[in-house]
Amino acid sequence: MPGIVAGLSVTSIVFSGAIFGFFYAWVCSTMWGLDQTDPRVAIEAMQAMNASVRNAVFFPAFFLTPVVLGLTAAAMLVDGRKSPAFWFAAAALVYLTSGLFLTLTVNVPMNEALAAIPVPKDIETAREIWQDYSQRWQFWN
């Protein structure tokens, strides 16, 4: 059992780090960079990125992180390691509620709404759309 616990622990840390890094980099480089560009370009770029992010590389970190964390918690509990089991279970719950749930119920619908908008030719209209979208999206991210 120690080998399984160690393997699951490392996998949990790698998956958690991958998804945290994704969220972190997206908000503090991608979104901030798009905020500095022509809003028409920002809208078009965000539409393209949102269309491409649903892929086999992104899937494991986004959807399987809470599963791996939960399996790690269960293995730790079976192995008699109650304190670490609690923290891995807590991490799974935090990610489920604050990462996965919020993303699926807030950010994804915002992304889908943005995808349905044709990129305006008028820069002021585009600026209004982008500022409303970007500020709310970053807050929830």
Side-chain angles (χ1 to χ4, degrees), residues 104-117:
L104 293 175
T105 60
V106 179
N107 293 86
V108 169
M110 287 179 67
N111 295 344
E112 290 171 352
L114 186 69
I117 296 172

Side-chain angles (χ1 to χ4, degrees), residues 52-71:
S52 72
V53 76
R54 295 175 184 171
N55 60 61
V57 176
F58 177 70
F59 178 89
F62 186 69
F63 289 105
L64 298 182
T65 294
V67 173
V68 173
L69 286 165
L71 288 173

Side-chain angles (χ1 to χ4, degrees), residues 51-136:
S52 72
V53 76
R54 295 175 184 171
N55 60 61
V57 176
F58 177 70
F59 178 89
F62 186 69
F63 289 105
L64 298 182
T65 294
V67 173
V68 173
L69 286 165
L71 288 173
T72 304
M76 291 260 185
L77 198 56
V78 167
D79 201 40
R81 301 176 189 192
K82 291 181 182 176
S83 181
F86 168 81
W87 290 111
F88 278 99
L93 185 61
V94 166
Y95 179 69
L96 278 171
T97 58
S98 300
L100 193 64
F101 179 75
L102 276 179
T103 299
L104 293 175
T105 60
V106 179
N107 293 86
V108 169
M110 287 179 67
N111 295 344
E112 290 171 352
L114 186 69
I117 296 172
V119 178
K121 302 251 186 262
D122 175 57
I123 194 167
E124 288 308 316
T125 302
R127 184 173 280 110
E128 288 175 22
I129 291 168
W130 180 253
Q131 285 177 345
D132 178 57
Y133 171 84
S134 179
Q135 289 174 0
R136 288 185 306 123

